Amino acid sequence: MRKGERTRSRIIQKSSGLFNRHGYLSSSISDVMKETGLEKGGIYRHFANKEELVLQAFEYSTQVMNKHFQEVLARECTSIEKLEAVIQILKGLVEDHPIPGGCPLMNAALEADDAYPILAEKTRDSMARLLEMMKQILVTGVEKGEFQKNMNPEQMAVTWIASLEGGLALSRLYRDSTYMDIVAAHLLNDIASYQ
Amino acid sequence: MRKGERTRSRIIQKSSGLFNRHGYLSSSISDVMKETGLEKGGIYRHFANKEELVLQAFEYSTQVMNKHFQEVLARECTSIEKLEAVIQILKGLVEDHPIPGGCPLMNAALEADDAYPILAEKTRDSMARLLEMMKQILVTGVEKGEFQKNMNPEQMAVTWIASLEGGLALSRLYRDSTYMDIVAAHLLNDIASYQ
């Protein structure tokens, strides 16, 4: 990788953490300068404007999460194990793992829904992929006979993601993973009724 | 009400909508000036700094929501009717009713958890009151024999609020109330198993 590309990658990486913690709109280029230790010119050499950096940083956050999901889920065999792994991954975000600031999709969703149409569009695409991934775990579970056929994978995927994301928001607000644990126990208890 | 107090109230009211839509941190005093049609001096005559305005505006949003909850819930008799009313109230927020920009508690929670300790503290207090209100509806339901005694009101309250807030975020992101409907149907189906 050439030096220019390395610098560009480092700016994206540092900014992704900053934006996920402190907001895409409310973080300024001065904040990016502090986070990266670069001058303004050193940042704008690599990005046409703040928006390009914002979208690249969001993309980077979702890539880190996607890779983390793929690696963790690959280790699990059954659908129920994969669902438990999804819970653990989202629970990791309470403690800033693998990225700081909570779930990038929810952070971007709540910030962008009214105020940032291009980021909202990117967030809709990424959220759709997360919902589809959940649905596929559930569809496979039905196909393999792990879950009864009367379970609706599409609706169950929405319920799981909405509930876990809401639980994550509560757990991050109170710095207490109990909220996520309560939501997760409820979801696992519910899915057991289809086993 | 004196003229100064009326102006102060109007600034708080207009700012609460602005902050709930566009963020407490990312909205600037210039944005408040545009929203209110006042000069900077006309705003700072009433508030020591932006932080005082932010906290007052958040307080106003939660008061509007509390009043709305009280009015709607007072009309309902049974606990299950009250739970259905809570669903309808949160569903109203998909369409900016009674305030624009979605749930002020979730907006503030996601924005403040990493970046704004004083707002996070206020949000924790308000969220605790919402959770307590939900718990009381469920406790009363158990006491009156509407729900079986093996239901845990505290955990159920967390599950309901987390799931509905997550569903609301999805519905606002996609401008589609289907997500909330799916989550609500799941919760009502679940609570029915305790009836």
Side-chain angles (χ1 to χ4, degrees):
Chain A
M1 202 189 283
R2 282 175 35 230
K3 182 161 180 290
E5 284 170 31
R6 276 204 305 276
T7 307
R8 186 181 150 88
S9 295
R10 198 171 69 85
I11 297 169
I12 291 171
Q13 190 185 334
K14 292 263 182 190
S15 302
S16 75
L18 172 71
F19 293 151
N20 203 43
R21 281 180 290 124
H22 288 194
Y24 290 87
L25 281 163
S26 48
S27 299
S28 64
I29 287 295
S30 302
D31 297 326
V32 175
M33 288 161 62
K34 266 182 234 157
E35 193 77 16
T36 58
L38 292 169
E39 299 293 318
K40 193 179 278 191
I43 293 162
Y44 282 131
R45 188 175 305 143
H46 300 280
F47 304 91
N49 47 41
K50 186 188 157 193
E51 185 165 290
E52 191 195 334
L53 175 55
V54 158
L55 297 179
Q56 290 291 322
F58 175 72
E59 182 81 18
Y60 176 83
S61 290
T62 59
Q63 280 169 1
V64 171
M65 286 307 297
N66 285 345
K67 191 162 168 275
H68 187 47
F69 268 112
Q70 280 171 20
E71 285 172 359
V72 172
L73 292 178
R75 282 182 231 137
E76 307 300 339
C77 181
T78 67
S79 291
I80 197 77
E81 283 165 357
K82 285 181 199 287
L83 292 176
E84 286 169 350
V86 168
I87 290 170
Q88 289 309 314
I89 290 170
L90 289 173
K91 210 174 147 182
L93 288 168
V94 178
E95 304 293 343
D96 292 327
H97 176 77
I99 51 174
C103 176
L105 298 193
M106 276 295 273
N107 284 336
L110 272 278
E111 199 178 355
D113 58 354
D114 294 286
Y116 209 149
I118 299 178
L119 183 59
E121 191 56 47
K122 285 254 179 197
T123 311
R124 282 190 280 274
D125 291 346
S126 299
M127 188 65 88
R129 280 196 295 274
L130 178 61
L131 289 168
E132 183 60 30
M133 185 203 75
M134 279 299 291
K135 184 182 154 188
Q136 282 311 318
I137 293 173
L138 294 158
V139 165
T140 305
V142 173
E143 283 171 0
K144 291 197 175 169
E146 263 189 83
F147 304 126
Q148 291 165 31
K149 285 196 172 64
N150 64 342
M151 192 256 282
N152 183 319
E154 187 145 11
Q155 294 186 1
M156 191 62 83
V158 169
T159 299
W160 270 64
I161 294 300
S163 307
L164 289 173
E165 293 283 11
L168 172 57
L170 287 177
S171 277
R172 284 193 60 84
L173 179 66
Y174 290 104
R175 293 280 183 265
D176 179 352
S177 61
T178 309
Y179 297 89
M180 278 224 81
D181 290 338
I182 290 170
V183 170
H186 175 89
L187 290 171
L188 287 171
N189 185 52
D190 176 66
I191 201 91
S193 69
Y194 292 96
Q195 281 180 305
Chain B
M1 203 189 285
R2 283 176 34 230
K3 183 162 181 287
E5 284 169 31
R6 277 204 305 275
T7 307
R8 185 182 151 89
S9 294
R10 198 171 68 85
I11 297 169
I12 291 172
Q13 191 185 333
K14 291 263 182 191
S15 302
S16 76
L18 172 72
F19 293 151
N20 203 42
R21 281 180 290 125
H22 288 195
Y24 291 87
L25 280 164
S26 48
S27 299
S28 64
I29 287 295
S30 304
D31 297 325
V32 175
M33 287 160 63
K34 266 182 233 156
E35 194 76 16
T36 57
L38 292 170
E39 298 294 319
K40 192 180 279 190
I43 294 162
Y44 282 131
R45 188 175 305 142
H46 300 280
F47 304 92
N49 46 42
K50 187 189 157 192
E51 185 166 291
E52 192 195 334
L53 175 56
V54 159
L55 298 179
Q56 290 291 321
F58 175 71
E59 183 81 17
Y60 177 83
S61 290
T62 59
Q63 280 170 1
V64 171
M65 286 307 298
N66 285 344
K67 191 161 168 277
H68 188 46
F69 268 111
Q70 279 171 20
E71 284 172 2
V72 173
L73 291 178
R75 281 182 232 137
E76 307 301 338
C77 183
T78 67
S79 291
I80 197 77
E81 284 166 356
K82 286 180 197 287
L83 291 176
E84 285 169 351
V86 168
I87 290 170
Q88 289 309 314
I89 290 170
L90 289 173
K91 209 174 148 182
L93 288 168
V94 178
E95 305 293 343
D96 292 327
H97 176 78
I99 51 174
C103 176
L105 298 193
M106 276 295 272
N107 285 335
L110 272 278
E111 199 179 356
D113 58 355
D114 294 286
Y116 209 150
I118 298 178
L119 184 59
E121 191 56 46
K122 285 253 179 198
T123 311
R124 280 191 281 273
D125 291 346
S126 299
M127 188 65 88
R129 279 196 294 274
L130 179 60
L131 290 168
E132 183 61 29
M133 186 203 76
M134 279 298 292
K135 184 182 153 188
Q136 282 310 318
I137 294 173
L138 294 158
V139 165
T140 305
V142 173
E143 283 170 1
K144 291 196 173 170
E146 263 190 82
F147 303 125
Q148 291 164 33
K149 285 196 172 63
N150 64 343
M151 191 256 282
N152 182 321
E154 186 144 12
Q155 294 186 0
M156 191 61 85
V158 169
T159 298
W160 270 65
I161 294 300
S163 307
L164 289 173
E165 292 283 11
L168 172 57
L170 287 177
S171 278
R172 284 193 61 85
L173 180 65
Y174 289 104
R175 292 281 181 267
D176 179 351
S177 61
T178 310
Y179 297 88
M180 277 224 80
D181 291 338
I182 290 170
V183 170
H186 174 89
L187 290 171
L188 287 171
N189 186 52
D190 176 67
I191 202 89
S193 70
Y194 292 96
Q195 281 181 308

